[in-house]
Amino acid sequence: MAQNAQSFILHSEIYGDLQIQEEQVYKFEKGIIGLQDIRRYALIHLENSPFAILHALDEQISFILIPAADAVRDYAFHIDDETTELLKVERPEEVVTMLVVNIIDDRLYVNLKAPILLSPLHQAGVQFVIHNQDFPIRYPLPSARKEGVTDAGS
């Protein structure tokens, strides 16, 4: 941890006390679907795992995420101008695409219809709903079992 980096403790009922660096905090101008009033989240990568936790700073709400590239092949879609403005990006390489993980009957699924898009450079995030392509809300992760994310508190 750099000495001049701003950090704080996030008290999570599920994960305990989490040390958060300011560069892990993302602002979601439009919130997340169903949670439009919650705008600030911390992104916590889990050690030795592709998974991450997106935890609200002001509420006890969190999501398990996985990079899209680790979950599915050939996943591509067009981002509209409003979203690129919210993320403050100019090039596709500036966007990190994460998928929300759900656990149903001890199986892991990802939501391909509404990925989480992040701009690490600007610490901005958006949950982007893909309307012009038919992606499933529940896409099974191949050979993924719940045990792989038990450290994530599920």
Side-chain angles (χ1 to χ4, degrees):
M1 174 167 58
Q3 291 181 346
N4 61 357
Q6 294 278 345
S7 67
F8 59 93
I9 300 293
L10 173 62
H11 301 285
S12 171
E13 292 174 1
I14 296 174
Y15 306 107
D17 289 346
L18 301 168
Q19 182 78 32
I20 304 297
Q21 302 296 320
E22 282 296 325
E23 62 267 12
Q24 291 175 274
V25 176
Y26 286 80
K27 179 148 189 188
F28 285 70
E29 286 293 332
K30 292 185 149 192
I32 289 179
I33 296 170
L35 304 166
Q36 284 80 358
D37 294 335
I38 302 172
R39 305 283 171 92
R40 295 181 333 130
Y41 292 83
L43 182 67
I44 303 112
H45 291 278
L46 301 177
E47 290 184 32
N48 303 316
S49 169
F51 298 99
I53 297 167
L54 187 67
H55 201 297
L57 295 186
D58 304 314
E59 299 283 341
Q60 290 297 321
I61 293 173
S62 62
F63 302 91
I64 298 171
L65 304 180
I66 189 169
D70 290 341
V72 64
R73 290 183 182 187
D74 302 323
Y75 181 61
F77 50 89
H78 176 76
I79 301 172
D80 60 27
D81 291 340
E82 177 187 3
T83 302
T84 58
E85 288 174 22
L86 285 169
L87 292 171
K88 303 172 186 138
V89 296
E90 296 179 12
R91 297 181 314 277
E93 305 83 52
E94 297 176 54
V95 178
V96 175
T97 303
M98 304 288 280
L99 302 173
V100 176
V101 177
N102 292 294
I103 302 170
I104 302 167
D105 296 328
D106 288 334
R107 293 246 336 131
L108 300 182
Y109 296 84
V110 291
N111 180 345
L112 297 180
K113 185 74 170 172
I116 301 289
L117 306 181
L118 302 171
S119 169
L121 182 63
H122 301 288
Q123 292 176 267
V126 171
Q127 185 171 26
F128 182 68
V129 179
I130 303 168
H131 292 289
N132 60 352
Q133 289 172 269
D134 190 25
F135 286 119
I137 292 172
R138 291 190 183 107
Y139 179 81
L141 281 177
S143 68
R145 296 183 325 258
K146 180 180 173 183
E147 292 82 27
V149 293
T150 52
D151 290 337
S154 8

